[in-house]
PDB file of all heavy atoms in Angstrom:
ATOM      1  N   ALA N 293     -25.287   1.491  28.862  1.00 89.00           N
ATOM      2  CA  ALA N 293     -26.055   0.385  29.402  1.00 89.00           C
ATOM      3  C   ALA N 293     -27.216   0.889  30.246  1.00 89.00           C
ATOM      4  O   ALA N 293     -28.319   0.355  30.225  1.00 89.00           O
ATOM      5  CB  ALA N 293     -25.143  -0.511  30.178  1.00 89.00           C
ATOM      6  N   THR N 294     -26.978   1.924  30.983  1.00 88.00           N
ATOM      7  CA  THR N 294     -28.104   2.600  31.750  1.00 88.00           C
ATOM      8  C   THR N 294     -29.184   3.185  30.866  1.00 88.00           C
ATOM      9  O   THR N 294     -30.420   3.065  31.153  1.00 88.00           O
ATOM     10  CB  THR N 294     -27.423   3.668  32.784  1.00 88.00           C
ATOM     11  OG1 THR N 294     -26.473   2.924  33.538  1.00 88.00           O
ATOM     12  CG2 THR N 294     -28.521   4.191  33.618  1.00 88.00           C
ATOM     13  N   LEU N 295     -28.757   3.976  29.867  1.00 87.00           N
ATOM     14  CA  LEU N 295     -29.613   4.647  28.994  1.00 87.00           C
ATOM     15  C   LEU N 295     -30.509   3.683  28.289  1.00 87.00           C
ATOM     16  O   LEU N 295     -31.758   3.893  28.073  1.00 87.00           O
ATOM     17  CB  LEU N 295     -28.885   5.507  27.974  1.00 87.00           C
ATOM     18  CG  LEU N 295     -28.148   6.724  28.517  1.00 87.00           C
ATOM     19  CD1 LEU N 295     -27.347   7.449  27.449  1.00 87.00           C
ATOM     20  CD2 LEU N 295     -29.188   7.676  29.133  1.00 87.00           C
ATOM     21  N   LEU N 296     -30.018   2.513  27.833  1.00 89.00           N
ATOM     22  CA  LEU N 296     -30.739   1.550  27.104  1.00 89.00           C
ATOM     23  C   LEU N 296     -31.322   0.418  28.040  1.00 89.00           C
ATOM     24  O   LEU N 296     -31.998  -0.469  27.592  1.00 89.00           O
ATOM     25  CB  LEU N 296     -29.874   0.850  26.067  1.00 89.00           C
ATOM     26  CG  LEU N 296     -29.341   1.824  24.946  1.00 89.00           C
ATOM     27  CD1 LEU N 296     -28.541   1.124  23.914  1.00 89.00           C
ATOM     28  CD2 LEU N 296     -30.465   2.603  24.256  1.00 89.00           C
ATOM     29  N   ASN N 297     -30.945   0.506  29.384  1.00 87.00           N
ATOM     30  CA  ASN N 297     -31.414  -0.534  30.330  1.00 87.00           C
ATOM     31  C   ASN N 297     -30.983  -1.969  29.851  1.00 87.00           C
ATOM     32  O   ASN N 297     -31.876  -2.819  29.898  1.00 87.00           O
ATOM     33  CB  ASN N 297     -32.868  -0.400  30.640  1.00 87.00           C
ATOM     34  CG  ASN N 297     -33.229  -1.071  31.921  1.00 87.00           C
ATOM     35  OD1 ASN N 297     -32.444  -1.327  32.845  1.00 87.00           O
ATOM     36  ND2 ASN N 297     -34.566  -1.508  32.013  1.00 87.00           N
ATOM     37  N   ASN N 298     -29.819  -2.055  29.435  1.00 88.00           N
ATOM     38  CA  ASN N 298     -29.328  -3.334  28.981  1.00 88.00           C
ATOM     39  C   ASN N 298     -28.026  -3.644  29.715  1.00 88.00           C
ATOM     40  O   ASN N 298     -26.973  -3.084  29.258  1.00 88.00           O
ATOM     41  CB  ASN N 298     -29.200  -3.339  27.461  1.00 88.00           C
ATOM     42  CG  ASN N 298     -28.843  -4.795  26.930  1.00 88.00           C
ATOM     43  OD1 ASN N 298     -28.283  -5.638  27.599  1.00 88.00           O
ATOM     44  ND2 ASN N 298     -29.111  -4.935  25.677  1.00 88.00           N
ATOM     45  N   HIS N 299     -28.107  -4.501  30.679  1.00 87.00           N
ATOM     46  CA  HIS N 299     -26.867  -4.730  31.460  1.00 87.00           C
ATOM     47  C   HIS N 299     -25.806  -5.490  30.685  1.00 87.00           C
ATOM     48  O   HIS N 299     -24.607  -5.620  31.227  1.00 87.00           O
ATOM     49  CB  HIS N 299     -27.197  -5.413  32.733  1.00 87.00           C
ATOM     50  CG  HIS N 299     -27.651  -6.808  32.558  1.00 87.00           C
ATOM     51  ND1 HIS N 299     -28.863  -7.181  32.014  1.00 87.00           N
ATOM     52  CD2 HIS N 299     -26.987  -8.070  32.764  1.00 87.00           C
ATOM     53  CE1 HIS N 299     -28.993  -8.514  31.907  1.00 87.00           C
ATOM     54  NE2 HIS N 299     -27.820  -9.017  32.345  1.00 87.00           N
ATOM     55  N   LEU N 300     -26.087  -6.065  29.558  1.00 90.00           N
ATOM     56  CA  LEU N 300     -25.103  -6.740  28.800  1.00 90.00           C
ATOM     57  C   LEU N 300     -24.170  -5.944  27.933  1.00 90.00           C
ATOM     58  O   LEU N 300     -23.271  -6.389  27.334  1.00 90.00           O
ATOM     59  CB  LEU N 300     -25.880  -7.799  27.845  1.00 90.00           C
ATOM     60  CG  LEU N 300     -26.629  -8.851  28.657  1.00 90.00           C
ATOM     61  CD1 LEU N 300     -27.387  -9.751  27.596  1.00 90.00           C
ATOM     62  CD2 LEU N 300     -25.684  -9.746  29.387  1.00 90.00           C
ATOM     63  N   ILE N 301     -24.505  -4.623  27.807  1.00 92.00           N
ATOM     64  CA  ILE N 301     -23.660  -3.646  27.168  1.00 92.00           C
ATOM     65  C   ILE N 301     -22.433  -3.426  28.042  1.00 92.00           C
ATOM     66  O   ILE N 301     -22.500  -2.524  28.867  1.00 92.00           O
ATOM     67  CB  ILE N 301     -24.390  -2.434  26.744  1.00 92.00           C
ATOM     68  CG1 ILE N 301     -25.644  -2.664  25.926  1.00 92.00           C
ATOM     69  CG2 ILE N 301     -23.491  -1.463  26.073  1.00 92.00           C
ATOM     70  CD1 ILE N 301     -26.432  -1.478  25.546  1.00 92.00           C
ATOM     71  N   GLN N 302     -21.353  -4.169  27.769  1.00 92.00           N
ATOM     72  CA  GLN N 302     -20.167  -4.080  28.648  1.00 92.00           C
ATOM     73  C   GLN N 302     -18.916  -3.961  27.661  1.00 92.00           C
ATOM     74  O   GLN N 302     -19.091  -4.464  26.487  1.00 92.00           O
ATOM     75  CB  GLN N 302     -20.007  -5.231  29.523  1.00 92.00           C
ATOM     76  CG  GLN N 302     -21.166  -5.491  30.483  1.00 92.00           C
ATOM     77  CD  GLN N 302     -21.144  -4.387  31.592  1.00 92.00           C
ATOM     78  OE1 GLN N 302     -20.063  -3.763  31.906  1.00 92.00           O
ATOM     79  NE2 GLN N 302     -22.362  -4.158  32.181  1.00 92.00           N
ATOM     80  N   PRO N 303     -17.899  -3.421  28.182  1.00 92.00           N
ATOM     81  CA  PRO N 303     -16.672  -3.168  27.331  1.00 92.00           C
ATOM     82  C   PRO N 303     -16.202  -4.545  26.619  1.00 92.00           C
ATOM     83  O   PRO N 303     -15.972  -4.545  25.411  1.00 92.00           O
ATOM     84  CB  PRO N 303     -15.684  -2.626  28.257  1.00 92.00           C
ATOM     85  CG  PRO N 303     -16.517  -1.875  29.274  1.00 92.00           C
ATOM     86  CD  PRO N 303     -17.728  -2.693  29.410  1.00 92.00           C
ATOM     87  N   TRP N 304     -16.024  -5.525  27.428  1.00 92.00           N
ATOM     88  CA  TRP N 304     -15.472  -6.709  26.891  1.00 92.00           C
ATOM     89  C   TRP N 304     -16.421  -7.487  25.971  1.00 92.00           C
ATOM     90  O   TRP N 304     -15.976  -8.133  24.972  1.00 92.00           O
ATOM     91  CB  TRP N 304     -15.068  -7.697  28.025  1.00 92.00           C
ATOM     92  CG  TRP N 304     -13.837  -7.061  28.717  1.00 92.00           C
ATOM     93  CD1 TRP N 304     -13.957  -6.596  30.044  1.00 92.00           C
ATOM     94  CD2 TRP N 304     -12.539  -6.860  28.317  1.00 92.00           C
ATOM     95  NE1 TRP N 304     -12.671  -6.076  30.374  1.00 92.00           N
ATOM     96  CE2 TRP N 304     -11.862  -6.242  29.402  1.00 92.00           C
ATOM     97  CE3 TRP N 304     -11.848  -7.169  27.095  1.00 92.00           C
ATOM     98  CZ2 TRP N 304     -10.505  -5.959  29.252  1.00 92.00           C
ATOM     99  CZ3 TRP N 304     -10.516  -6.861  27.002  1.00 92.00           C
ATOM    100  CH2 TRP N 304      -9.828  -6.174  28.063  1.00 92.00           C
ATOM    101  N   ILE N 305     -17.697  -7.427  26.186  1.00 94.00           N
ATOM    102  CA  ILE N 305     -18.743  -7.885  25.256  1.00 94.00           C
ATOM    103  C   ILE N 305     -18.632  -7.122  23.965  1.00 94.00           C
ATOM    104  O   ILE N 305     -18.657  -7.705  22.882  1.00 94.00           O
ATOM    105  CB  ILE N 305     -20.157  -7.848  25.822  1.00 94.00           C
ATOM    106  CG1 ILE N 305     -20.287  -8.855  27.002  1.00 94.00           C
ATOM    107  CG2 ILE N 305     -21.178  -8.300  24.765  1.00 94.00           C
ATOM    108  CD1 ILE N 305     -21.591  -8.862  27.683  1.00 94.00           C
ATOM    109  N   GLY N 306     -18.420  -5.821  24.144  1.00 94.00           N
ATOM    110  CA  GLY N 306     -18.335  -4.930  22.903  1.00 94.00           C
ATOM    111  C   GLY N 306     -17.045  -5.315  22.067  1.00 94.00           C
ATOM    112  O   GLY N 306     -17.098  -5.311  20.847  1.00 94.00           O
ATOM    113  N   ILE N 307     -15.912  -5.522  22.800  1.00 94.00           N
ATOM    114  CA  ILE N 307     -14.687  -5.883  22.093  1.00 94.00           C
ATOM    115  C   ILE N 307     -14.942  -7.203  21.259  1.00 94.00           C
ATOM    116  O   ILE N 307     -14.453  -7.330  20.185  1.00 94.00           O
ATOM    117  CB  ILE N 307     -13.584  -6.066  23.138  1.00 94.00           C
ATOM    118  CG1 ILE N 307     -13.256  -4.706  23.717  1.00 94.00           C
ATOM    119  CG2 ILE N 307     -12.364  -6.566  22.502  1.00 94.00           C
ATOM    120  CD1 ILE N 307     -12.307  -4.716  24.849  1.00 94.00           C
ATOM    121  N   ILE N 308     -15.579  -8.187  21.934  1.00 95.00           N
ATOM    122  CA  ILE N 308     -15.848  -9.452  21.277  1.00 95.00           C
ATOM    123  C   ILE N 308     -16.730  -9.250  20.072  1.00 95.00           C
ATOM    124  O   ILE N 308     -16.521  -9.816  18.973  1.00 95.00           O
ATOM    125  CB  ILE N 308     -16.477 -10.457  22.224  1.00 95.00           C
ATOM    126  CG1 ILE N 308     -15.407 -10.855  23.351  1.00 95.00           C
ATOM    127  CG2 ILE N 308     -16.958 -11.767  21.488  1.00 95.00           C
ATOM    128  CD1 ILE N 308     -15.987 -11.648  24.462  1.00 95.00           C
ATOM    129  N   SER N 309     -17.795  -8.438  20.244  1.00 95.00           N
ATOM    130  CA  SER N 309     -18.686  -8.163  19.158  1.00 95.00           C
ATOM    131  C   SER N 309     -17.971  -7.472  17.982  1.00 95.00           C
ATOM    132  O   SER N 309     -18.257  -7.795  16.745  1.00 95.00           O
ATOM    133  CB  SER N 309     -19.879  -7.228  19.649  1.00 95.00           C
ATOM    134  OG  SER N 309     -20.743  -6.983  18.572  1.00 95.00           O
ATOM    135  N   LEU N 310     -17.120  -6.521  18.303  1.00 95.00           N
ATOM    136  CA  LEU N 310     -16.439  -5.829  17.157  1.00 95.00           C
ATOM    137  C   LEU N 310     -15.457  -6.689  16.492  1.00 95.00           C
ATOM    138  O   LEU N 310     -15.370  -6.615  15.269  1.00 95.00           O
ATOM    139  CB  LEU N 310     -15.734  -4.573  17.897  1.00 95.00           C
ATOM    140  CG  LEU N 310     -16.628  -3.382  18.273  1.00 95.00           C
ATOM    141  CD1 LEU N 310     -15.813  -2.431  19.166  1.00 95.00           C
ATOM    142  CD2 LEU N 310     -17.095  -2.627  17.115  1.00 95.00           C
ATOM    143  N   LEU N 311     -14.702  -7.491  17.169  1.00 95.00           N
ATOM    144  CA  LEU N 311     -13.717  -8.312  16.611  1.00 95.00           C
ATOM    145  C   LEU N 311     -14.417  -9.394  15.741  1.00 95.00           C
ATOM    146  O   LEU N 311     -13.874  -9.816  14.703  1.00 95.00           O
ATOM    147  CB  LEU N 311     -12.909  -8.941  17.645  1.00 95.00           C
ATOM    148  CG  LEU N 311     -11.877  -8.001  18.374  1.00 95.00           C
ATOM    149  CD1 LEU N 311     -11.009  -8.684  19.348  1.00 95.00           C
ATOM    150  CD2 LEU N 311     -11.059  -7.218  17.411  1.00 95.00           C
TER     151      LEU N 311
END
Side-chain angles (χ1 to χ4, degrees):
T294 302
L295 291 174
L296 299 179
N297 195 26
N298 186 337
H299 69 287
L300 294 176
I301 300 177
Q302 299 292 333
W304 294 106
I305 293 179
I307 292 169
I308 294 173
S309 175
L310 287 165
L311 293 180

